[in-house]
Amino acid sequence: MQDAAIQVLVGARLATLADPVDGPGAVVIAGERIAWVGPQAALPADYASAPRRDCEGRLVTPAFIDCHTHLVHGGHRAREFEMRLEGASYEEIARAGGGIVSTVAATRTASEDALLAQALPRLDALLAEGVSCVEVKSGYGLDVETELRMLRVARRLERERPVRVVTSFLGAHAIPAEYAGRADAYLDEICLPALHAAHAEGLVDAVDGFCEGIAFSADQMARVFAEAKRLGLPVKLHAEQLSHQGGTALAARCGALSADHVEYATEDDARAMAAAGTVAVLLPGAYYFIRETQAPPVAAFRAHGVKMAVATDANPGSSPLTSLLLAMNMACTLFRLTPEEALAGVTANAARALGLEDTGRIARGLRADLAIWDVETPAELAYRIGFNPLHARIFAGRS
């Protein structure tokens, strides 16, 4: 390996999310990967002449991962925000023709270039806070053409910015107006054909859905998941956000990567998720924005060893949030996560929620996706509100 490809971070306070390092730490980066990590005093002599970057006591963490977003969409829903302030519930707005369906109308009329132009500022806000990887869902097309367009835009984000994008097909997000009262027909005629077309085009990394009274039942989602299995695709699910519909149990039975929202999950659900290795993705932005009152059963997740991730749920209707730092603070203040749990939630556990094994921790052989912070302790990342202490972001070994 060429010396020019090697760089060494020294003088770092390391939050590895893997093996702990006491005292000043060092990280050796070789190309796009981490070649060595440990106490600076134990730095191998092989790297004595390599270029060094002194972190001067700053905290170094894995770069952040936003494992649940809807970054690609048309329009906004500021008027619905006003309606909620006037007393309307999220469900009432959705049943009156607002909610997801209103964003569908704006997304269907937007070109690929227009959707890209609208998504990039949202992505830039995340990158500015040390994010290296984002999950991006479809689900605002609800027809074959627009679902494919959204996923193509998600793939284009990687070409426009130094970021890793993981895509989720979310055709089972809502029932479009033209299929009102005919959810099964929508699945047969639009959702499943769109899934096959997207898979054939190489646009899908996972399959998601919305299991809720205003969307799809657990039985209907089971059909979608069966098709995903036939295509060899992992699954995840929006589950138990507004009520308990059995989505979390379904996700666990299907070995889902994650069950997301999970405000109405039960202790039995937590037990099933732990057995399946399904990550609970907590989305405090949506809980806050639509003024929910039932918090996820964090104590049950802890008791049964369920891994908890934290994400923005960046979307136009229920969580117009593009700050993982704020999501961490919300997860602590609203859901009572510890700062350490919040940090794991946007790094190691977020990687688990996406099925990624090469990122989310600082360890030999993993990707050199790192964030250097002007703070002394991990708690400071979740503590501040509206302040970004990022000093530098390293993506695949490059600043």
Side-chain angles (χ1 to χ4, degrees), residues 2 46 97 168 200 224 250 274 280 290 321-322 326 379 395:
Q2 298 292 323
D46 292 351
S168 294
V224 177
L250 170 68
I290 62 175
L321 173 64
T322 51
L326 182 54
F395 177 71

Side-chain angles (χ1 to χ4, degrees), residues 304-330:
H304 294 287
V306 177
K307 300 295 185 184
M308 293 180 285
V310 176
T312 63
D313 191 17
N315 77 74
S318 63
S319 186
L321 173 64
T322 51
S323 170
L324 262 185
L325 289 169
L326 182 54
M328 291 171 67
N329 176 273
M330 288 179 167

Side-chain angles (χ1 to χ4, degrees), residues 25-66:
V27 180
V28 178
I29 298 171
E32 298 183 354
R33 297 278 166 172
I34 296 168
W36 186 90
V37 57
Q40 185 174 327
L43 185 66
D46 292 351
Y47 303 117
S49 62
R52 294 193 174 199
R53 178 174 184 167
D54 191 351
C55 295
E56 300 178 322
R58 294 183 176 91
L59 179 72
V60 178
T61 71
F64 285 179
I65 298 167
D66 197 347

